[in-house]
């Protein structure tokens, strides 16, 4: 197997630009884990998803350049786009390592509109020691937090730390040392940290350091958005059933993610966006 066999798809694009590139491999049976890890490292995207038919489901596994992760939202959106392109519009059931979910893909010209239903969500208050360590990592203090959204551990298929900041400028100022971030995230089982600012009750700006996967920052994070949305529901935030997340602006890769939030505590979150196909080796539409 070679990297040329992997599709390159930018998920949660802002029209014809932006989005988070993911690798997608589709085949009759999954390669062994070592091969998938090697290919993910060769591609170099924050995530590559490998999927193969398994009865009525598609068995899916996700790999960052450095390690396997239990779930990745933007790679799932990219997978939905690839399935729609190769097998037709529809809803596809996925079997992950620890959960089942669905992804939907519908072709719209050169792009695909895709949506995932996340695994179940949950949240709890973050321990003070972890919140303080994360704030120190990024150069923030308690005074920089939005008191309406306390630090939390949130899950939407993977575990994330949510830190809500008091201004857009604070989000833009995020800096950290990758090695120190990896140590902190791995010690606490975190896939990313969600740094968020509430422009309005229904529009958020976020950044997602992904040091646990060897990636400084993701331009669009579906799993983090699902976790954030689930936490907002648990918190009683006035989301009105829907939020928009703008991510990647500070990287020059503006992305847009949309989350539909049902009333059921712990329920799945629907995360949707546009996926655009890229040519191998560069960021251009196919």
């Amino acid at each position: 197997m070679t990297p040329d066999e992997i599709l390159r798809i930018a998920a949660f694009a802002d029209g014809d630009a932006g989005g988070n590139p993911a690798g997608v491999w589709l085949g009759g049976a999954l390669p062994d884990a070592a091969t998938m890890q090697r290919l993910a490292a060769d591609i170099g995207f924050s995530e590559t998803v490998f999927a193969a038919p398994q009865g009525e489901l598609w068995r899916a596994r996700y790999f960052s350049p450095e390690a396997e992760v239990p779930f990745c939202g933007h790679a799932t959106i990219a997978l939905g786009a690839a399935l729609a392109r190769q097998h037709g519009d529809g809803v596809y059931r996925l079997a992950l390592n620890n959960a089942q979910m669905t992804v939907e893909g519908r072709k719209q010209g050169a792009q695909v509109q895709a949506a995932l239903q996340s695994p179940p969500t949950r949240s709890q208050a973050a321990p003070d020691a972890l919140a303080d360590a994360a704030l120190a990592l990024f150069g923030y203090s308690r005074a920089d937090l939005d008191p309406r959204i306390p630090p939390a551990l949130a899950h939407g298929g993977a575990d994330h730390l949510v830190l809500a900041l008091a201004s857009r400028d604070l989000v833009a100022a995020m800096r950290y040392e990758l090695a120190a971030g990896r140590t902190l995230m791995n010690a606490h089982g975190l896939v990313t940290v969600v740094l968020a600012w509430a422009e309005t009750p229904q529009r958020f700006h976020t950044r997602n350091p992904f040091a646990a996967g060897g990636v400084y920052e993701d331009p669009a994070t579906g799993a983090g958005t699902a976790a954030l949305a689930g936490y907002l529901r648990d918190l009683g935030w006035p989301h009105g059933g829907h939020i928009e997340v703008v991510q990647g602006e500070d990287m020059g890769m503006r992305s847009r993610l949309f989350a539909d939030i049902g009333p059921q505590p712990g329920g799945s979150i629907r995360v949707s966006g546009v996926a655009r196909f890229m040519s191998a080796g560069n960021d251009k539409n196919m």
Side-chain angles (χ1 to χ4, degrees), residues 143-170:
D144 294 323
L145 294 174
D146 183 340
R148 302 172 299 171
I149 308 174
L153 292 171
H155 181 91
D159 292 325
H160 307 262
L161 173 66
V162 177
L163 296 176
L165 300 172
S167 73
R168 179 68 180 85
D169 288 343
L170 286 166

mmCIF file of all heavy atoms in Angstrom, residues 143-170:
data_model
loop_
_atom_site.group_PDB
_atom_site.id
_atom_site.type_symbol
_atom_site.label_atom_id
_atom_site.label_comp_id
_atom_site.label_asym_id
_atom_site.label_seq_id
_atom_site.Cartn_x
_atom_site.Cartn_y
_atom_site.Cartn_z
ATOM 1 N N ALA A 143 -8.323 34.625 35.377
ATOM 2 C CA ALA A 143 -9.003 35.871 35.012
ATOM 3 C C ALA A 143 -9.349 35.921 33.532
ATOM 4 O O ALA A 143 -10.189 36.736 33.112
ATOM 5 C CB ALA A 143 -8.145 37.069 35.392
ATOM 6 N N ASP A 144 -8.721 35.079 32.714
ATOM 7 C CA ASP A 144 -8.969 35.069 31.266
ATOM 8 C C ASP A 144 -10.168 34.203 30.887
ATOM 9 O O ASP A 144 -10.568 34.179 29.718
ATOM 10 C CB ASP A 144 -7.734 34.553 30.523
ATOM 11 C CG ASP A 144 -6.547 35.483 30.665
ATOM 12 O OD1 ASP A 144 -6.752 36.713 30.675
ATOM 13 O OD2 ASP A 144 -5.410 34.969 30.753
ATOM 14 N N LEU A 145 -10.764 33.499 31.851
ATOM 15 C CA LEU A 145 -11.854 32.590 31.547
ATOM 16 C C LEU A 145 -13.205 33.303 31.515
ATOM 17 O O LEU A 145 -13.416 34.309 32.192
ATOM 18 C CB LEU A 145 -11.899 31.467 32.591
ATOM 19 C CG LEU A 145 -10.713 30.500 32.598
ATOM 20 C CD1 LEU A 145 -10.820 29.541 33.774
ATOM 21 C CD2 LEU A 145 -10.631 29.727 31.291
ATOM 22 N N ASP A 146 -14.123 32.744 30.734
ATOM 23 C CA ASP A 146 -15.515 33.180 30.724
ATOM 24 C C ASP A 146 -16.222 32.462 31.877
ATOM 25 O O ASP A 146 -16.378 31.241 31.829
ATOM 26 C CB ASP A 146 -16.173 32.812 29.391
ATOM 27 C CG ASP A 146 -17.608 33.288 29.263
ATOM 28 O OD1 ASP A 146 -18.244 33.572 30.299
ATOM 29 O OD2 ASP A 146 -18.108 33.369 28.124
ATOM 30 N N PRO A 147 -16.657 33.190 32.905
ATOM 31 C CA PRO A 147 -17.229 32.516 34.080
ATOM 32 C C PRO A 147 -18.548 31.804 33.795
ATOM 33 O O PRO A 147 -18.988 30.976 34.603
ATOM 34 C CB PRO A 147 -17.422 33.664 35.080
ATOM 35 C CG PRO A 147 -17.534 34.895 34.231
ATOM 36 C CD PRO A 147 -16.622 34.657 33.056
ATOM 37 N N ARG A 148 -19.173 32.089 32.646
ATOM 38 C CA ARG A 148 -20.443 31.437 32.313
ATOM 39 C C ARG A 148 -20.254 29.984 31.875
ATOM 40 O O ARG A 148 -21.203 29.194 31.900
ATOM 41 C CB ARG A 148 -21.157 32.215 31.204
ATOM 42 C CG ARG A 148 -21.459 33.669 31.537
ATOM 43 C CD ARG A 148 -21.986 34.382 30.307
ATOM 44 N NE ARG A 148 -21.002 34.373 29.224
ATOM 45 C CZ ARG A 148 -21.242 34.777 27.960
ATOM 46 N NH1 ARG A 148 -22.472 35.185 27.639
ATOM 47 N NH2 ARG A 148 -20.279 34.754 27.063
ATOM 48 N N ILE A 149 -19.021 29.654 31.440
ATOM 49 C CA ILE A 149 -18.743 28.316 30.918
ATOM 50 C C ILE A 149 -17.506 27.792 31.649
ATOM 51 O O ILE A 149 -16.377 27.947 31.176
ATOM 52 C CB ILE A 149 -18.513 28.342 29.395
ATOM 53 C CG1 ILE A 149 -19.669 29.053 28.680
ATOM 54 C CG2 ILE A 149 -18.336 26.932 28.842
ATOM 55 C CD1 ILE A 149 -19.457 29.240 27.190
ATOM 56 N N PRO A 150 -17.668 27.193 32.819
ATOM 57 C CA PRO A 150 -16.513 26.750 33.603
ATOM 58 C C PRO A 150 -15.718 25.655 32.894
ATOM 59 O O PRO A 150 -16.258 24.921 32.056
ATOM 60 C CB PRO A 150 -17.157 26.210 34.892
ATOM 61 C CG PRO A 150 -18.524 26.816 34.937
ATOM 62 C CD PRO A 150 -18.943 26.965 33.506
ATOM 63 N N PRO A 151 -14.439 25.517 33.224
ATOM 64 C CA PRO A 151 -13.622 24.450 32.638
ATOM 65 C C PRO A 151 -14.267 23.088 32.849
ATOM 66 O O PRO A 151 -14.780 22.784 33.927
ATOM 67 C CB PRO A 151 -12.290 24.569 33.385
ATOM 68 C CG PRO A 151 -12.226 26.004 33.807
ATOM 69 C CD PRO A 151 -13.641 26.375 34.126
ATOM 70 N N ALA A 152 -14.250 22.262 31.792
ATOM 71 C CA ALA A 152 -14.929 20.970 31.861
ATOM 72 C C ALA A 152 -14.182 19.919 31.070
ATOM 73 O O ALA A 152 -13.473 20.228 30.105
ATOM 74 C CB ALA A 152 -16.359 21.095 31.331
ATOM 75 N N LEU A 153 -14.372 18.676 31.483
ATOM 76 C CA LEU A 153 -13.995 17.520 30.684
ATOM 77 C C LEU A 153 -15.238 17.113 29.908
ATOM 78 O O LEU A 153 -16.291 16.840 30.505
ATOM 79 C CB LEU A 153 -13.513 16.383 31.574
ATOM 80 C CG LEU A 153 -12.187 16.619 32.311
ATOM 81 C CD1 LEU A 153 -11.937 15.510 33.311
ATOM 82 C CD2 LEU A 153 -11.045 16.718 31.316
ATOM 83 N N ALA A 154 -15.136 17.079 28.597
ATOM 84 C CA ALA A 154 -16.297 16.794 27.749
ATOM 85 C C ALA A 154 -15.958 15.683 26.775
ATOM 86 O O ALA A 154 -14.844 15.616 26.252
ATOM 87 C CB ALA A 154 -16.724 18.056 26.992
ATOM 88 N N HIS A 155 -16.944 14.846 26.517
ATOM 89 C CA HIS A 155 -16.751 13.667 25.660
ATOM 90 C C HIS A 155 -17.827 13.650 24.587
ATOM 91 O O HIS A 155 -19.007 13.835 24.863
ATOM 92 C CB HIS A 155 -16.845 12.389 26.504
ATOM 93 C CG HIS A 155 -16.636 11.126 25.737
ATOM 94 N ND1 HIS A 155 -15.401 10.534 25.582
ATOM 95 C CD2 HIS A 155 -17.512 10.341 25.051
ATOM 96 C CE1 HIS A 155 -15.524 9.432 24.862
ATOM 97 N NE2 HIS A 155 -16.791 9.296 24.514
ATOM 98 N N GLY A 156 -17.390 13.428 23.341
ATOM 99 C CA GLY A 156 -18.321 13.250 22.237
ATOM 100 C C GLY A 156 -17.774 12.214 21.275
ATOM 101 O O GLY A 156 -17.803 12.412 20.068
ATOM 102 N N GLY A 157 -17.235 11.134 21.830
ATOM 103 C CA GLY A 157 -16.525 10.125 21.061
ATOM 104 C C GLY A 157 -15.067 10.055 21.438
ATOM 105 O O GLY A 157 -14.399 9.047 21.217
ATOM 106 N N ALA A 158 -14.558 11.130 22.011
ATOM 107 C CA ALA A 158 -13.199 11.207 22.544
ATOM 108 C C ALA A 158 -13.217 12.254 23.652
ATOM 109 O O ALA A 158 -14.140 13.063 23.746
ATOM 110 C CB ALA A 158 -12.197 11.571 21.451
ATOM 111 N N ASP A 159 -12.187 12.243 24.496
ATOM 112 C CA ASP A 159 -12.156 13.139 25.657
ATOM 113 C C ASP A 159 -11.421 14.431 25.336
ATOM 114 O O ASP A 159 -10.329 14.422 24.753
ATOM 115 C CB ASP A 159 -11.461 12.444 26.826
ATOM 116 C CG ASP A 159 -12.273 11.279 27.362
ATOM 117 O OD1 ASP A 159 -13.517 11.378 27.369
ATOM 118 O OD2 ASP A 159 -11.669 10.268 27.769
ATOM 119 N N HIS A 160 -12.021 15.547 25.762
ATOM 120 C CA HIS A 160 -11.477 16.881 25.516
ATOM 121 C C HIS A 160 -11.588 17.718 26.792
ATOM 122 O O HIS A 160 -12.518 17.541 27.573
ATOM 123 C CB HIS A 160 -12.249 17.600 24.400
ATOM 124 C CG HIS A 160 -12.356 16.823 23.132
ATOM 125 N ND1 HIS A 160 -11.515 17.028 22.052
ATOM 126 C CD2 HIS A 160 -13.199 15.827 22.767
ATOM 127 C CE1 HIS A 160 -11.848 16.194 21.081
ATOM 128 N NE2 HIS A 160 -12.865 15.448 21.497
ATOM 129 N N LEU A 161 -10.668 18.641 26.958
ATOM 130 C CA LEU A 161 -10.772 19.662 27.997
ATOM 131 C C LEU A 161 -11.296 20.929 27.340
ATOM 132 O O LEU A 161 -10.747 21.384 26.330
ATOM 133 C CB LEU A 161 -9.403 19.923 28.631
ATOM 134 C CG LEU A 161 -9.347 21.095 29.626
ATOM 135 C CD1 LEU A 161 -10.193 20.800 30.865
ATOM 136 C CD2 LEU A 161 -7.896 21.392 30.019
ATOM 137 N N VAL A 162 -12.377 21.493 27.896
ATOM 138 C CA VAL A 162 -12.964 22.721 27.369
ATOM 139 C C VAL A 162 -12.554 23.886 28.263
ATOM 140 O O VAL A 162 -12.803 23.870 29.474
ATOM 141 C CB VAL A 162 -14.498 22.630 27.305
ATOM 142 C CG1 VAL A 162 -15.093 23.961 26.829
ATOM 143 C CG2 VAL A 162 -14.930 21.505 26.370
ATOM 144 N N LEU A 163 -11.918 24.895 27.662
ATOM 145 C CA LEU A 163 -11.591 26.138 28.346
ATOM 146 C C LEU A 163 -12.238 27.281 27.559
ATOM 147 O O LEU A 163 -11.853 27.545 26.418
ATOM 148 C CB LEU A 163 -10.074 26.351 28.413
ATOM 149 C CG LEU A 163 -9.259 25.338 29.219
ATOM 150 C CD1 LEU A 163 -7.771 25.640 29.089
ATOM 151 C CD2 LEU A 163 -9.685 25.336 30.694
ATOM 152 N N ALA A 164 -13.220 27.935 28.148
ATOM 153 C CA ALA A 164 -13.908 29.054 27.501
ATOM 154 C C ALA A 164 -13.232 30.349 27.918
ATOM 155 O O ALA A 164 -13.106 30.643 29.117
ATOM 156 C CB ALA A 164 -15.379 29.074 27.881
ATOM 157 N N LEU A 165 -12.800 31.116 26.931
ATOM 158 C CA LEU A 165 -12.057 32.341 27.180
ATOM 159 C C LEU A 165 -12.967 33.566 27.059
ATOM 160 O O LEU A 165 -14.024 33.525 26.441
ATOM 161 C CB LEU A 165 -10.888 32.439 26.210
ATOM 162 C CG LEU A 165 -9.883 31.285 26.319
ATOM 163 C CD1 LEU A 165 -8.851 31.352 25.204
ATOM 164 C CD2 LEU A 165 -9.199 31.285 27.685
ATOM 165 N N ALA A 166 -12.505 34.674 27.635
ATOM 166 C CA ALA A 166 -13.355 35.851 27.770
ATOM 167 C C ALA A 166 -13.346 36.767 26.558
ATOM 168 O O ALA A 166 -14.157 37.695 26.500
ATOM 169 C CB ALA A 166 -12.930 36.641 29.011
ATOM 170 N N SER A 167 -12.449 36.543 25.588
ATOM 171 C CA SER A 167 -12.403 37.422 24.419
ATOM 172 C C SER A 167 -11.820 36.698 23.217
ATOM 173 O O SER A 167 -11.099 35.707 23.360
ATOM 174 C CB SER A 167 -11.562 38.668 24.706
ATOM 175 O OG SER A 167 -10.176 38.346 24.742
ATOM 176 N N ARG A 168 -12.119 37.236 22.043
ATOM 177 C CA ARG A 168 -11.547 36.695 20.807
ATOM 178 C C ARG A 168 -10.044 36.897 20.772
ATOM 179 O O ARG A 168 -9.309 36.040 20.258
ATOM 180 C CB ARG A 168 -12.215 37.371 19.595
ATOM 181 C CG ARG A 168 -11.676 36.903 18.234
ATOM 182 C CD ARG A 168 -12.058 35.460 17.958
ATOM 183 N NE ARG A 168 -11.578 34.972 16.678
ATOM 184 C CZ ARG A 168 -10.367 34.461 16.466
ATOM 185 N NH1 ARG A 168 -9.493 34.377 17.478
ATOM 186 N NH2 ARG A 168 -10.016 34.024 15.277
ATOM 187 N N ASP A 169 -9.564 38.008 21.308
ATOM 188 C CA ASP A 169 -8.123 38.266 21.323
ATOM 189 C C ASP A 169 -7.373 37.210 22.131
ATOM 190 O O ASP A 169 -6.251 36.821 21.767
ATOM 191 C CB ASP A 169 -7.835 39.659 21.898
ATOM 192 C CG ASP A 169 -8.226 40.777 20.943
ATOM 193 O OD1 ASP A 169 -8.416 40.495 19.740
ATOM 194 O OD2 ASP A 169 -8.338 41.927 21.404
ATOM 195 N N LEU A 170 -7.962 36.744 23.207
ATOM 196 C CA LEU A 170 -7.316 35.704 24.000
ATOM 197 C C LEU A 170 -7.214 34.404 23.213
ATOM 198 O O LEU A 170 -6.210 33.691 23.300
ATOM 199 C CB LEU A 170 -8.093 35.481 25.298
ATOM 200 C CG LEU A 170 -7.926 36.572 26.360
ATOM 201 C CD1 LEU A 170 -8.981 36.425 27.446
ATOM 202 C CD2 LEU A 170 -6.519 36.516 26.967
#
